[in-house]
C-alpha cells in the first residue's frame, strides 16, 4: 500500500490496567507505521487515573463531596473528608512511588504512620500476629520494604477509588468501569441514557484529556480499541467528545468487545459516536478503511465493517473478502508515544505468582495468533481470535523481542496468547539461548504432556519465570465433557515439572459447568488442595462458568445436558446466555467457599484442613483419595 497523509490516532480508553499499556494500540501503531501510515497512540486510561489521583483531582473530589448532604456520606467518604489534608499531601508522592520514581518513600510508607488509612486497610487484619508482632512480617520479612510499601500504597489507592465511587461516579472501577452498561446488553438504551446524562467529574476529566489529545495529534482517524465491557463507556465518551470537536474526524470502534459482543449490531445510535465498527483482527479492515477514506477504494469493498447507511439510516455490514495479514507480517508492536515511566506497579495480592498481573511493566507480545487447540467447549472457538491459528518463526519472534527491548529499555515479556504452543515455545527458547539473550517472560499455556521436565528446564533457562493454564473444573469427567484434552493427574505431573524447574504456576479454575454437582465441586477443591500442598501450583483463581453464544455449549446445549434460556431481541451486545441445568446446584453459594479456600491456600493457610470446612452448608465428603496427587507424581518417576 502506498503512503497516505491520513494521521491515525489509536487510543486506549478507560479502564484497562494500571501497570502496563494494553497492547492493542502498540500492535496497530507498529503495523500501520510498517505500511507507511502516519500513526500515533495515547493511553487515556492511564492519563485519567493520573488526573483523578493527584492533588488537583482530590480537591475536585472534595468539592463534589461537599455538595452532597452529610447524611449521605459513606464511611469511606467521611474518613476521606476527616483526613483530607493528609490525602492531599500524600497522593502525589504515593503515585510517584508506585511509578518507581521515588523508591526512598518506602520507609515512610512501610512505617504505617505516613498514609491515612481507610477501610481497605482492614484486610490486613487477616494477617494479625497472635503474639502482637508485625502483621505483615510473614509476607515481607525484614528486607521486603519495597514490596511492603507497595502493598500499603495499593490499599491507599483502592481507598481513594472507593471514595470516588461512593461520592462521584458509582460506576467507577480500575478495571470494570461501567461494565454493566455494555456487557451482554441486548439494547443500547442503558448506555445511551448514561451518555446523555449530566457529565460526572470523571467524564469531565476524560473529555478534557480527549481534547488535549486531539489538539496534540490533529488526527483524521481515531481508533478506539475496546478489549473489555469495562472500557466501552469510556470509549463512547471519548468518541462523543471528538464528534463535538470536529464531526469530520473519523472514529472507529474495534477490539475484543466488538469482536465478541457486537457481531449482530443493528443499533443506528451507535453511529452517532462511531463512523465504523470493525470486527476481528484489525489490520486488514483498517487498511481497507484507510484506502476508502483516501479515495482509493469504494465503500462496498470495506472489510468486516459495520456502518450506518447515509440514505436509509440503517446499519449495514460490509465484508469484501480478502485474506488477513499473516501473523509473521503484522510487524513489531511499538510503545512509542506511551509514557512508560508513568505506569503504576500495584500490589493487590501478596502471592508471588498472582502479583504478576498488576506488578511491573511487562512488554505484551503474542507467540501466535489464535489457539492451536481450539476445542474447549466453554471457549469462543468459533471466533477469529481463537479459530484462526497462525504462527511465526522463532527468529521472527526474537527479532521482535530485540526491537522492543531496544525501544523500551525493558526486558520483561508477558506472552498473551490464548495458549502458547509447546513447539513454538521450545523453538523460541532455543533461539533466545542461541542468541544469548537475557529476558524474563511468562505466559499462558495448556497443561499438556508435551511439557516434559526437560522442556520446562529449557524454558526456565531461556528466561521463563511463570506460566498460567487451565485446570478448569478439576474433574476428569467434566474435563472430558469440556474437551479440555488434559486429566487431573497429567496436570499434576506437568505443573510439578514447571515448579521443579523454578517456574511459578497459576491455575485457572472454573465452577458451575453444566452437570457439575456439589460432589464434583467438593472433589475439585480437594484436587486443588492437594496440588497446593504438593507445591505443584502457587496461585489459582475460580471463575464462574458463563455460557456464551459463540461456544460449543451455547451452540449445542443438548450435548451438555442443559437448556438455553431465550434471549430478548438483540440490537446491541450479545454474548452471555442463561441456561437451565437439571442439577439445580446453587453455584453462587459454593463459589464463596471456593474462593475463600483459594485465598487461604495461596497464603499457605488451611492446607491440612478438610475441604468441607470452607463451606457454610453441609456438603458431602470428598471422594478423592487423600494422596491422589502424590501418587500421580510418583507414577511418573
Amino acid at each position: 500500500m502506498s503512503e497516505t497523509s491520513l494521521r491515525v490516532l489509536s487510543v486506549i480508553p478507560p479502564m484497562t490496567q494500571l501497570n502496563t499499556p494494553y497492547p492493542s494500540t502498540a500492535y496497530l501503531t507498529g503495523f500501520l507505521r510498517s505500511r507507511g501510515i502516519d500513526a500515533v497512540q495515547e493511553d487515556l486510561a492511564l492519563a485519567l487515573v493520573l488526573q483523578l489521583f493527584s492533588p488537583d483531582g482530590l480537591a475536585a473530589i472534595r468539592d463534589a463531596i461537599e455538595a452532597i448532604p452529610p447524611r449521605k456520606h459513606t464511611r469511606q467518604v467521611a474518613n476521606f473528608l476527616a483526613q483530607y489534608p493528609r490525602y492531599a499531601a500524600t497522593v502525589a508522592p504515593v503515585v510517584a512511588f508506585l511509578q518507581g520514581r521515588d523508591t526512598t518513600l518506602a520507609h515512610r510508607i512501610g512505617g504505617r504512620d505516613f498514609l491515612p488509612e481507610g477501610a481497605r486497610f482492614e484486610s490486613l487484619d487477616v494477617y494479625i500476629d497472635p503474639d502482637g508482632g508485625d502483621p505483615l512480617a510473614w509476607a515481607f520479612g525484614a528486607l521486603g520494604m519495597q514490596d511492603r510499601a507497595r502493598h500499603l500504597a495499593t490499599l491507599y489507592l483502592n481507598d481513594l477509588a472507593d471514595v470516588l465511587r461512593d461520592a462521584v461516579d458509582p460506576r467507577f472501577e480500575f478495571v470494570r468501569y461501567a461494565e454493566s452498561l455494555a456487557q451482554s446488553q441486548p439494547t443500547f438504551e442503558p448506555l445511551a441514557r448514561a451518555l446523555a446524562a449530566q457529565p460526572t467529574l470523571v467524564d469531565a476529566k476524560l473529555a478534557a484529556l480527549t481534547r488535549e489529545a486531539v489538539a496534540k495529534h490533529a488526527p483524521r482517524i481515531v481508533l478506539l480499541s475496546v478489549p473489555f465491557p469495562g472500557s466501552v463507556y469510556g470509549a463512547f465518551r471519548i468518541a462523543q467528545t471528538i464528534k463535538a470537536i470536529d464531526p469530520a474526524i473519523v472514529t472507529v470502534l474495534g477490539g475484543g468487545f466488538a469482536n465478541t459482543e457486537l457481531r449482530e449490531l443493528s443499533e443506528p445510535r451507535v453511529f452517532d459516536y462511531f463512523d465504523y465498527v470493525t470486527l476481528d483482527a484489525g489490520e486488514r479492515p483498517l487498511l481497507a478503511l484507510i484506502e476508502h477514506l483516501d479515495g482509493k477504494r469504494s465503500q462496498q469493498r470495506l472489510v468486516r465493517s459495520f456502518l450506518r447507511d447515509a440514505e436509509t439510516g440503517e446499519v449495514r455490514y460490509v465484508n469484501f473478502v480478502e485474506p488477513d495479514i499473516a501473523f509473521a507480517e503484522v510487524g513489531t508492536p511499538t510503545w512509542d508515544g506511551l509514557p512508560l515511566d508513568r505506569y503504576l506497579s500495584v500490589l493487590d495480592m501478596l502471592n508471588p505468582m498472582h502479583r504478576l498481573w498488576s506488578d511491573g511493566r511487562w512488554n505484551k507480545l503474542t507467540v501466535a495468533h489464535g489457539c492451536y487447540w481450539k476445542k474447549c467447549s466453554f471457549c469462543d472457538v468459533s471466533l477469529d481470535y481463537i479459530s484462526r491459528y497462525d504462527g511465526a518463526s522463532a527468529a521472527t519472534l526474537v527479532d521482535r523481542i530485540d526491537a522492543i527491548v531496544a525501544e523500551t529499555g525493558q526486558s520483561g515479556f508477558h506472552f498473551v496468547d490464548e495458549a502458547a504452543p509447546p513447539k513454538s515455545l521450545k523453538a523460541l527458547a532455543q533461539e533466545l539461548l542461541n542468541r544469548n539473550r537475557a529476558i524474563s517472560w511468562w505466559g499462558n499455556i495448556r497443561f499438556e504432556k508435551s511439557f516434559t521436565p526437560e522442556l520446562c528446564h529449557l524454558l526456565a533457562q531461556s528466561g521463563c519465570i511463570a506460566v498460567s493454564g487451565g485446570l478448569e473444573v478439576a474433574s476428569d469427567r467434566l474435563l472430558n465433557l469440556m474437551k479440555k484434552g488434559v486429566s487431573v493427574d497429567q496436570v499434576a505431573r506437568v505443573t510439578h515439572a514447571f515448579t521443579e524447574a523454578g517456574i511459578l504456576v497459576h491455575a485457572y479454575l472454573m465452577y458451575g459447568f453444566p452437570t457439575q454437582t456439589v460432589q464434583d465441586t467438593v472433589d475439585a477443591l480437594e484436587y486443588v488442595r492437594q496440588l497446593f500442598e504438593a507445591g505443584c501450583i502457587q496461585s489459582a483463581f475460580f471463575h464462574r462458568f458463563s455460557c456464551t453464544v459463540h461456544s460449543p455449549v451455547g451452540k449445542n446445549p443438548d450435548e451438555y445436558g442443559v437448556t438455553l434460556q431465550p434471549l430478548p431481541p438483540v440490537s446491541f451486545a450479545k454474548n452471555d446466555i442463561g441456561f437451565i441445568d437439571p442439577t439445580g446446584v446453587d453455584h453462587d453459594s459454593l463459589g464463596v467457599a471456593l474462593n475463600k479456600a483459594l485465598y487461604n491456600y495461596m497464603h499457605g493457610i488451611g492446607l491440612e484442613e478438610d475441604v468441607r470446612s470452607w463451606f457454610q452448608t453441609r456438603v458431602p465428603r470428598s471422594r478423592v483419595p487423600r494422596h491422589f496427587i502424590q501418587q500421580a507424581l510418583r507414577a511418573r518417576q
Side-chain angles (χ1 to χ4, degrees):
M1 176 178 172
S2 59
E3 294 190 9
T4 174
S5 61
L6 301 181
R7 168 166 282 193
V8 180
L9 169 61
S10 296
V11 174
I12 303 173
M15 303 298 287
T16 49
Q17 59 190 116
L18 299 178
N19 65 310
T20 196
Y22 193 78
S24 55
T25 64
Y27 264 97
L28 291 174
T29 302
F31 169 74
L32 292 173
R33 289 182 180 181
S34 74
R35 297 300 178 107
I37 297 169
D38 184 9
V40 292
Q41 58 188 326
E42 287 280 347
D43 188 343
L44 293 190
L46 176 68
L48 179 61
V49 168
L50 296 181
Q51 282 266 322
L52 292 170
F53 300 100
S54 67
D56 288 345
L58 294 196
I61 293 171
R62 179 198 57 189
D63 293 344
I65 292 172
E66 290 178 344
I68 302 171
R71 68 178 184 277
K72 294 186 178 181
H73 291 175
T74 65
R75 185 163 66 98
Q76 283 282 70
V77 169
N79 177 70
F80 172 75
L81 288 179
Q83 302 196 74
Y84 176 74
R86 292 184 65 198
Y87 278 112
T90 54
V91 67
V94 166
V95 167
F97 170 74
L98 290 173
Q99 291 171 328
R101 295 187 294 115
D102 190 3
T103 57
T104 58
L105 193 64
H107 298 275
R108 294 200 68 190
I109 294 174
R112 298 289 298 277
D113 57 3
F114 177 67
L115 300 182
E117 297 187 358
R120 292 287 186 146
F121 284 78
E122 293 172 4
S123 65
L124 298 179
D125 292 345
V126 73
Y127 311 124
I128 288 178
D129 186 338
D131 298 324
D134 183 351
L136 292 178
W138 72 271
F140 301 115
L143 300 178
M145 184 58 73
Q146 290 291 327
D147 283 350
R148 173 195 177 94
R150 194 148 70 250
H151 181 56
L152 295 170
T154 301
L155 296 177
Y156 166 94
L157 208 62
N158 287 333
D159 269 336
L160 288 175
D162 291 342
V163 172
L164 185 61
R165 183 168 53 256
D166 289 350
V168 174
D169 188 342
R171 302 163 302 202
F172 184 82
E173 298 276 357
F174 279 132
V175 177
R176 296 183 172 88
Y177 180 36
E179 183 180 65
S180 63
L181 295 176
Q183 187 173 33
S184 298
Q185 279 285 359
T187 76
F188 187 64
E189 196 57 36
L191 192 53
R193 286 196 299 267
L195 293 167
Q198 183 71 20
T200 67
L201 171 65
V202 179
D203 297 329
K205 293 283 189 184
L206 181 58
L209 291 168
T210 302
R211 289 191 289 269
E212 290 175 12
V214 170
K216 174 183 177 182
H217 297 293
R220 172 73 188 281
I221 305 168
V222 177
L223 311 178
L224 277 299
S225 181
V226 180
F228 318 116
S231 50
V232 173
Y233 174 76
F236 272 81
R237 277 293 189 186
I238 292 169
Q240 185 182 53
T241 302
I242 290 172
K243 288 302 181 185
I245 297 169
D246 183 358
I249 297 176
V250 176
T251 50
V252 186
L253 177 67
F257 172 79
N259 301 342
T260 304
E261 302 211 22
L262 300 186
R263 305 192 77 85
E264 298 180 22
L265 179 64
S266 62
E267 172 56 73
R269 288 179 292 176
V270 168
F271 298 89
D272 293 339
Y273 307 86
F274 293 97
D275 297 287
Y276 302 92
V277 177
T278 66
L279 298 184
D280 300 328
E283 291 86 1
R284 180 60 72 189
L286 287 177
L287 287 183
L289 177 59
I290 291 169
E291 287 184 348
H292 168 62
L293 297 175
D294 227 8
K296 301 173 183 177
R297 178 186 287 245
S298 69
Q299 191 179 80
Q300 288 70 36
R301 296 181 68 243
L302 292 176
V303 177
R304 296 196 299 273
S305 298
F306 287 103
L307 53 90
R308 183 167 57 187
D309 190 284
E311 295 181 1
T312 68
E314 296 180 348
V315 177
R316 290 199 296 121
Y317 181 62
V318 181
N319 185 19
F320 184 78
V321 179
E322 291 186 8
D324 274 296
I325 307 297
F327 180 70
E329 298 173 9
V330 297
T332 301
T334 177
W335 281 265
D336 179 46
L338 297 179
L340 299 185
D341 61 341
R342 291 297 183 264
Y343 288 87
L344 291 83
S345 285
V346 295
L347 191 52
D348 285 306
M349 289 285 290
L350 307 185
N351 180 278
M353 171 70 203
H354 216 81
R355 65 187 285 181
L356 292 179
W357 277 272
S358 63
D359 183 20
R361 203 209 68 74
W362 301 95
N363 298 308
K364 292 182 181 286
L365 196 65
T366 47
V367 175
H369 179 280
C371 178
Y372 69 100
W373 179 252
K374 54 189 174 189
K375 295 179 183 179
C376 299
S377 57
F378 58 83
C379 196
D380 292 340
V381 296
S382 62
L383 299 185
D384 175 79
Y385 81 98
I386 297 289
S387 64
R388 182 171 61 85
Y389 177 70
D390 185 16
S393 70
T396 296
L397 292 174
V398 178
D399 286 345
R400 291 175 182 174
I401 288 170
D402 285 346
I404 292 168
V405 172
E407 177 186 274
T408 67
Q410 293 169 314
S411 61
F413 286 82
H414 179 196
F415 297 141
V416 292
D417 300 71
E418 294 303 309
K423 289 183 179 179
S424 297
L425 288 181
K426 181 178 181 180
L428 174 63
Q430 290 172 330
E431 184 72 11
L432 287 167
L433 292 169
N434 290 342
R435 297 197 197 183
N436 199 28
R437 297 297 185 261
I439 69 167
S440 301
W441 63 268
W442 61 291
N444 199 45
I445 62 162
R446 291 180 63 252
F447 293 130
E448 60 169 75
K449 60 184 179 182
S450 301
F451 288 106
T452 61
E454 293 74 23
L455 178 54
C456 293
H457 181 68
L458 175 69
L459 299 182
Q461 285 183 309
S462 75
C464 180
I465 60 170
V467 294
S468 56
L471 174 54
E472 316 307 352
V473 287
S475 158
D476 286 341
R477 177 183 75 84
L478 293 173
L479 285 170
N480 287 330
L481 182 62
M482 63 171 50
K483 300 180 175 64
K484 186 67 184 176
V486 300
S487 62
V488 175
D489 59 343
Q490 177 181 310
V491 169
R493 290 190 286 270
V494 171
T495 54
H496 188 260
F498 276 112
T499 299
E500 287 292 291
I503 297 171
L504 296 170
V505 181
H506 173 88
Y508 292 111
L509 301 164
M510 182 185 296
Y511 66 99
F513 192 75
T515 74
Q516 185 171 4
T517 64
V518 175
Q519 182 71 67
D520 289 327
T521 303
V522 173
D523 292 347
L525 186 57
E526 174 60 16
Y527 282 128
V528 171
R529 184 198 67 78
Q530 291 187 30
L531 287 168
F532 271 102
E533 185 180 44
C536 294
I537 60 176
Q538 291 75 48
S539 170
F541 187 79
F542 265 110
H543 302 257
R544 172 68 188 271
F545 168 74
S546 178
C547 181
T548 71
V549 295
H550 310 295
S551 69
V553 176
K555 290 181 174 297
N556 305 291
D558 292 345
E559 295 181 15
Y560 301 90
V562 297
T563 303
L564 300 183
Q565 296 176 340
L567 287 171
V570 173
S571 58
F572 185 55
K574 181 180 180 181
N575 190 41
D576 293 354
I577 182 169
F579 63 94
I580 299 171
D581 189 333
T583 59
V585 174
D586 181 2
H587 293 293
D588 288 335
S589 64
L590 295 177
V592 173
L594 295 174
N595 284 302
K596 183 179 180 181
L598 270 193
Y599 184 85
N600 282 274
Y601 292 166
M602 285 192 290
H603 294 93
I605 301 169
L607 290 170
E608 299 299 325
E609 295 182 19
D610 189 310
V611 294
R612 290 176 293 176
S613 65
W614 302 109
F615 296 89
Q616 295 298 312
T617 57
R618 186 178 180 85
V619 296
R621 181 189 298 273
S622 170
R623 299 171 300 186
V624 179
R626 187 73 177 173
H627 302 291
F628 177 89
I629 296 299
Q630 288 290 355
Q631 290 171 352
L633 297 179
R634 283 197 293 269
R636 183 186 70 185
Q637 299 169 355

